[in-house]
Amino acid sequence: MPRPFVAYLRVYEPLPSLDTALRQRVEEALGAGELDPADAGERERQLWLKAQLASPPRLLPGELPDGTAAPSAPFDVMVLEPEDVPAETDGEIGPGPLVCPLDVRPRAAAALIGFLSTAPAPLREQVLPLPPDSVRSRASAVMAELTAGAVHVVSSTWTVPLPWFALVDPDARQLVLAPQEDPHRRVCWRVSMADARRRTARAHTAVHDALGDEGPAKVLKDTGRWLEHFHPHSAVELDYGGLVQLLDDADLLADTSAHDVHAAVDALESGDVDEVAELYERLREFWGEVAERERFN
Protein backbone atom coordinates (compact mmCIF):
# COMPACT_ATOMS: atom_id res chain seq x y z
CA MET A 1 0.00 0.00 0.00
CA PRO A 2 1.41 3.45 -0.84
CA ARG A 3 2.16 5.90 1.91
CA PRO A 4 -0.44 8.62 2.53
CA PHE A 5 0.00 11.48 0.07
CA VAL A 6 0.76 14.00 2.81
CA ALA A 7 3.47 16.66 3.24
CA TYR A 8 4.59 17.90 6.65
CA LEU A 9 5.94 20.92 8.46
CA ARG A 10 7.47 19.81 11.77
CA VAL A 11 9.08 21.46 14.79
CA TYR A 12 11.80 19.64 16.74
CA GLU A 13 12.36 21.15 20.20
CA PRO A 14 15.39 20.68 22.46
CA LEU A 15 14.53 17.86 24.87
CA PRO A 16 15.78 19.81 27.94
CA SER A 17 13.41 22.70 27.11
CA LEU A 18 10.22 20.63 27.46
CA ASP A 19 8.13 20.85 30.60
CA THR A 20 8.61 17.99 33.05
CA ALA A 21 5.52 15.94 32.18
CA LEU A 22 6.09 16.06 28.43
CA ARG A 23 9.82 15.45 28.81
CA GLN A 24 9.12 12.29 30.82
CA ARG A 25 6.75 10.96 28.14
CA VAL A 26 9.27 11.75 25.40
CA GLU A 27 12.10 10.05 27.30
CA GLU A 28 9.96 6.94 27.80
CA ALA A 29 9.11 6.89 24.10
CA LEU A 30 12.76 7.27 23.13
CA GLY A 31 13.60 4.34 25.37
CA ALA A 32 11.32 2.21 23.21
CA GLY A 33 12.81 3.59 19.98
CA GLU A 34 12.34 6.76 17.93
CA LEU A 35 10.01 6.95 14.93
CA ASP A 36 11.63 7.30 11.51
CA PRO A 37 10.00 10.26 9.69
CA ALA A 38 9.75 7.98 6.63
CA ASP A 39 7.27 5.87 8.62
CA ALA A 40 5.24 8.76 10.07
CA GLY A 41 2.45 8.74 7.48
CA GLU A 42 1.90 5.00 7.73
CA ARG A 43 1.94 5.23 11.54
CA GLU A 44 -0.73 7.93 11.51
CA ARG A 45 -2.91 5.89 9.18
CA GLN A 46 -2.51 2.80 11.37
CA LEU A 47 -3.57 4.65 14.53
CA TRP A 48 -6.57 6.25 12.80
CA LEU A 49 -7.82 2.95 11.35
CA LYS A 50 -7.40 1.25 14.72
CA ALA A 51 -9.58 3.92 16.32
CA GLN A 52 -12.30 3.55 13.70
CA LEU A 53 -12.31 -0.25 13.81
CA ALA A 54 -12.61 -0.36 17.60
CA SER A 55 -15.94 -1.32 19.13
CA PRO A 56 -17.42 1.16 19.69
CA PRO A 57 -15.44 3.40 17.28
CA ARG A 58 -13.33 6.05 18.96
CA LEU A 59 -13.80 9.73 18.19
CA LEU A 60 -10.02 10.23 18.17
CA PRO A 61 -7.00 7.91 18.01
CA GLY A 62 -5.44 6.91 21.32
CA GLU A 63 -8.47 7.33 23.55
CA LEU A 64 -10.97 5.28 25.52
CA PRO A 65 -14.71 5.15 24.69
CA ASP A 66 -15.38 7.95 27.20
CA GLY A 67 -12.96 10.28 25.42
CA THR A 68 -10.12 10.16 27.94
CA ALA A 69 -6.60 9.35 26.80
CA ALA A 70 -5.85 5.62 26.79
CA PRO A 71 -2.95 4.87 29.18
CA SER A 72 -1.59 2.33 26.69
CA ALA A 73 -1.86 4.60 23.65
CA PRO A 74 1.37 4.81 21.61
CA PHE A 75 3.42 7.97 21.98
CA ASP A 76 5.71 8.37 18.98
CA VAL A 77 8.66 10.77 18.74
CA MET A 78 10.97 11.74 15.88
CA VAL A 79 14.51 12.93 16.57
CA LEU A 80 17.10 15.26 15.02
CA GLU A 81 20.57 16.22 16.20
CA PRO A 82 21.50 19.93 16.08
CA GLU A 83 24.43 19.25 13.72
CA ASP A 84 21.95 17.89 11.16
CA VAL A 85 20.26 21.29 10.82
CA PRO A 86 21.86 24.03 8.69
CA ALA A 87 21.78 27.41 10.40
CA GLU A 88 22.94 30.92 9.67
CA THR A 89 25.05 32.82 12.21
CA ASP A 90 22.05 33.92 14.31
CA GLY A 91 20.33 30.53 14.26
CA GLU A 92 21.37 28.81 17.51
CA ILE A 93 20.01 25.26 17.80
CA GLY A 94 19.82 22.86 20.73
CA PRO A 95 21.08 21.44 22.94
CA GLY A 96 20.17 18.06 21.53
CA PRO A 97 18.51 15.82 21.04
CA LEU A 98 15.81 17.74 19.20
CA VAL A 99 12.48 15.94 19.49
CA CYS A 100 9.17 16.11 17.62
CA PRO A 101 6.19 14.25 19.13
CA LEU A 102 3.85 12.93 16.44
CA ASP A 103 0.87 14.47 18.31
CA VAL A 104 -1.66 12.29 16.48
CA ARG A 105 -4.51 12.69 19.00
CA PRO A 106 -4.40 16.52 19.28
CA ARG A 107 -3.84 16.84 15.52
CA ALA A 108 -6.94 14.74 14.92
CA ALA A 109 -8.80 16.94 17.40
CA ALA A 110 -7.73 20.07 15.53
CA ALA A 111 -8.89 18.50 12.25
CA LEU A 112 -12.27 17.71 13.81
CA ILE A 113 -12.70 21.30 14.93
CA GLY A 114 -11.87 22.43 11.40
CA PHE A 115 -14.35 19.93 9.97
CA LEU A 116 -17.11 21.22 12.25
CA SER A 117 -16.44 24.76 11.04
CA THR A 118 -16.54 23.97 7.33
CA ALA A 119 -18.67 20.86 6.67
CA PRO A 120 -22.39 21.22 5.88
CA ALA A 121 -24.83 20.00 8.53
CA PRO A 122 -26.01 16.88 6.62
CA LEU A 123 -22.42 15.67 6.25
CA ARG A 124 -21.66 16.28 9.93
CA GLU A 125 -24.74 14.28 10.92
CA GLN A 126 -23.71 11.34 8.75
CA VAL A 127 -20.07 10.99 9.81
CA LEU A 128 -19.99 12.08 13.47
CA PRO A 129 -20.92 9.56 16.19
CA LEU A 130 -21.90 12.34 18.63
CA PRO A 131 -23.76 15.68 18.42
CA PRO A 132 -21.53 18.47 17.04
CA ASP A 133 -21.46 20.35 20.35
CA SER A 134 -20.19 17.23 22.15
CA VAL A 135 -17.58 16.63 19.47
CA ARG A 136 -16.38 20.23 19.67
CA SER A 137 -16.18 20.09 23.46
CA ARG A 138 -14.17 16.87 23.50
CA ALA A 139 -11.84 17.99 20.72
CA SER A 140 -11.26 21.37 22.40
CA ALA A 141 -10.42 19.62 25.68
CA VAL A 142 -7.77 17.55 23.92
CA MET A 143 -6.24 20.66 22.34
CA ALA A 144 -6.14 22.31 25.77
CA GLU A 145 -3.91 19.49 27.03
CA LEU A 146 -1.02 20.63 24.80
CA THR A 147 1.63 22.15 27.03
CA ALA A 148 3.05 24.30 24.22
CA GLY A 149 -0.40 25.34 23.07
CA ALA A 150 0.20 23.92 19.59
CA VAL A 151 0.91 20.62 17.85
CA HIS A 152 4.46 19.94 16.67
CA VAL A 153 3.33 18.84 13.19
CA VAL A 154 1.07 20.38 10.57
CA SER A 155 0.28 18.58 7.33
CA SER A 156 -1.14 19.08 3.86
CA THR A 157 -2.65 16.44 1.57
CA TRP A 158 -1.79 16.17 -2.13
CA THR A 159 0.32 19.34 -2.25
CA VAL A 160 2.79 21.55 -0.39
CA PRO A 161 1.40 25.00 0.51
CA LEU A 162 3.63 27.40 -1.40
CA PRO A 163 4.17 29.77 1.57
CA TRP A 164 5.92 26.93 3.43
CA PHE A 165 8.85 27.23 1.03
CA ALA A 166 9.51 30.75 2.29
CA LEU A 167 10.79 29.28 5.59
CA VAL A 168 13.70 27.32 4.15
CA ASP A 169 17.06 27.87 2.48
CA PRO A 170 16.44 26.73 -1.12
CA ASP A 171 20.02 25.48 -1.44
CA ALA A 172 19.75 23.24 1.66
CA ARG A 173 17.42 20.67 0.12
CA GLN A 174 18.02 17.03 1.03
CA LEU A 175 17.08 14.65 -1.79
CA VAL A 176 17.08 10.83 -1.63
CA LEU A 177 16.26 9.20 -4.98
CA ALA A 178 15.28 5.75 -3.78
CA PRO A 179 12.68 3.80 -5.82
CA GLN A 180 9.27 5.45 -5.78
CA GLU A 181 7.74 2.75 -3.53
CA ASP A 182 10.70 2.89 -1.10
CA PRO A 183 9.74 4.70 2.16
CA HIS A 184 13.21 6.27 2.28
CA ARG A 185 12.67 8.17 -0.97
CA ARG A 186 12.59 11.71 0.38
CA VAL A 187 12.73 15.46 -0.15
CA CYS A 188 13.14 17.70 2.89
CA TRP A 189 14.66 20.90 4.22
CA ARG A 190 15.78 21.65 7.77
CA VAL A 191 16.23 25.11 9.21
CA SER A 192 16.82 26.74 12.58
CA MET A 193 13.80 28.27 14.29
CA ALA A 194 15.43 31.71 14.23
CA ASP A 195 15.93 31.54 10.47
CA ALA A 196 12.43 30.17 9.88
CA ARG A 197 10.82 32.98 11.89
CA ARG A 198 12.91 35.66 10.18
CA ARG A 199 12.12 34.39 6.69
CA THR A 200 8.42 33.99 7.51
CA ALA A 201 8.19 37.56 8.78
CA ARG A 202 9.96 38.94 5.71
CA ALA A 203 7.76 36.97 3.30
CA HIS A 204 4.59 37.98 5.15
CA THR A 205 5.48 41.66 4.93
CA ALA A 206 6.22 41.43 1.22
CA VAL A 207 3.07 39.47 0.39
CA HIS A 208 0.81 41.52 2.68
CA ASP A 209 2.02 44.84 1.26
CA ALA A 210 1.56 43.66 -2.33
CA LEU A 211 -1.49 41.40 -2.18
CA GLY A 212 -3.37 42.12 1.07
CA ASP A 213 -4.37 40.02 4.06
CA GLU A 214 -5.82 36.90 2.47
CA GLY A 215 -4.37 33.92 0.61
CA PRO A 216 -0.61 33.48 1.03
CA ALA A 217 -0.40 36.34 3.53
CA LYS A 218 -2.85 34.59 5.86
CA VAL A 219 -0.94 31.30 5.59
CA LEU A 220 2.32 33.08 6.43
CA LYS A 221 0.74 34.95 9.34
CA ASP A 222 -0.73 31.73 10.77
CA THR A 223 2.56 29.90 10.27
CA GLY A 224 4.46 32.64 12.07
CA ARG A 225 2.07 32.47 15.01
CA TRP A 226 2.45 28.69 15.12
CA LEU A 227 6.26 28.92 15.20
CA GLU A 228 6.09 31.34 18.15
CA HIS A 229 4.70 28.57 20.37
CA PHE A 230 8.02 26.71 20.41
CA HIS A 231 11.47 27.13 21.93
CA PRO A 232 13.63 29.63 19.98
CA HIS A 233 16.46 27.07 19.67
CA SER A 234 14.25 24.52 17.93
CA ALA A 235 14.54 23.28 14.33
CA VAL A 236 11.90 23.26 11.59
CA GLU A 237 11.59 20.59 8.90
CA LEU A 238 9.66 20.79 5.62
CA ASP A 239 9.13 17.24 4.32
CA TYR A 240 7.39 16.18 1.10
CA GLY A 241 6.37 12.97 2.90
CA GLY A 242 4.38 10.59 0.71
CA LEU A 243 4.14 13.10 -2.15
CA VAL A 244 7.48 11.80 -3.46
CA GLN A 245 5.60 8.71 -4.65
CA LEU A 246 3.75 10.93 -7.16
CA LEU A 247 6.91 12.44 -8.66
CA ASP A 248 9.49 10.59 -10.72
CA ASP A 249 13.23 11.24 -10.41
CA ALA A 250 13.21 13.74 -13.27
CA ASP A 251 10.41 15.74 -11.59
CA LEU A 252 12.25 15.85 -8.28
CA LEU A 253 15.53 16.87 -9.87
CA ALA A 254 13.78 19.60 -11.87
CA ASP A 255 11.75 20.89 -8.89
CA THR A 256 12.70 24.52 -8.19
CA SER A 257 9.78 25.34 -5.89
CA ALA A 258 11.81 26.75 -3.01
CA HIS A 259 13.96 28.89 -5.31
CA ASP A 260 10.86 30.12 -7.15
CA VAL A 261 9.06 31.14 -3.96
CA HIS A 262 12.10 33.04 -2.68
CA ALA A 263 12.49 34.72 -6.08
CA ALA A 264 8.80 35.69 -5.93
CA VAL A 265 9.32 37.32 -2.52
CA ASP A 266 12.26 39.28 -3.97
CA ALA A 267 10.11 40.32 -6.94
CA LEU A 268 7.26 41.44 -4.69
CA GLU A 269 9.66 43.61 -2.70
CA SER A 270 11.00 45.20 -5.89
CA GLY A 271 7.55 45.59 -7.47
CA ASP A 272 8.33 43.36 -10.47
CA VAL A 273 4.78 42.17 -11.19
CA ASP A 274 5.70 40.34 -14.39
CA GLU A 275 8.35 38.28 -12.60
CA VAL A 276 5.88 37.37 -9.86
CA ALA A 277 3.30 36.25 -12.42
CA GLU A 278 5.84 34.12 -14.30
CA LEU A 279 7.07 32.42 -11.13
CA TYR A 280 3.56 31.79 -9.87
CA GLU A 281 2.55 30.21 -13.16
CA ARG A 282 5.53 27.86 -13.00
CA LEU A 283 4.68 26.86 -9.44
CA ARG A 284 0.99 26.45 -10.26
CA GLU A 285 1.77 24.21 -13.20
CA PHE A 286 4.13 21.97 -11.19
CA TRP A 287 1.96 21.52 -8.12
CA GLY A 288 -1.30 21.57 -10.07
CA GLU A 289 -0.24 18.40 -11.86
CA VAL A 290 0.41 16.73 -8.50
CA ALA A 291 -2.85 17.89 -6.90
CA GLU A 292 -4.89 16.83 -9.94
CA ARG A 293 -4.21 13.19 -9.06
CA GLU A 294 -6.55 13.56 -6.08
CA ARG A 295 -9.45 13.59 -8.54
CA PHE A 296 -8.55 10.08 -9.68
CA ASN A 297 -8.52 8.70 -6.12
Side-chain angles (χ1 to χ4, degrees), residues 65-79:
D66 64 359
T68 58
S72 60
F75 187 81
D76 298 293
V77 179
M78 294 163 285
V79 177

Side-chain angles (χ1 to χ4, degrees), residues 44-150:
E44 293 169 0
R45 177 164 58 195
Q46 176 190 29
L47 294 174
W48 178 254
L49 289 175
K50 184 178 179 180
Q52 296 309 297
L53 295 174
S55 183
R58 307 299 192 253
L59 183 64
L60 299 171
E63 68 178 20
L64 299 173
D66 64 359
T68 58
S72 60
F75 187 81
D76 298 293
V77 179
M78 294 163 285
V79 177
L80 280 179
E81 295 300 333
E83 56 267 26
D84 295 329
V85 183
E88 297 184 359
T89 54
D90 62 343
E92 183 177 349
I93 306 169
L98 305 173
V99 295
C100 176
L102 197 58
D103 286 343
V104 171
R105 185 164 174 258
R107 286 169 57 206
L112 263 182
I113 293 173
F115 175 79
L116 288 170
S117 301
T118 58
L123 179 60
R124 294 198 302 263
E125 292 172 0
Q126 286 295 319
V127 302
L128 294 177
L130 298 170
D133 287 346
S134 298
V135 172
R136 189 184 305 276
S137 176
R138 282 174 53 167
S140 298
V142 171
M143 293 297 297
E145 296 171 4
L146 288 166
T147 55

Side-chain angles (χ1 to χ4, degrees), residues 12-17 81-83 91-98 192 231-235:
Y12 294 76
E13 291 192 278
L15 178 59
S17 73
E81 295 300 333
E83 56 267 26
E92 183 177 349
I93 306 169
L98 305 173
S192 73
H231 195 277
H233 298 165
S234 300

Side-chain angles (χ1 to χ4, degrees), residues 6-26:
V6 180
Y8 301 94
L9 199 59
R10 304 184 179 108
V11 171
Y12 294 76
E13 291 192 278
L15 178 59
S17 73
L18 303 180
D19 72 272
T20 301
L22 180 56
R23 186 169 67 249
Q24 289 177 345
R25 294 194 70 193
V26 169

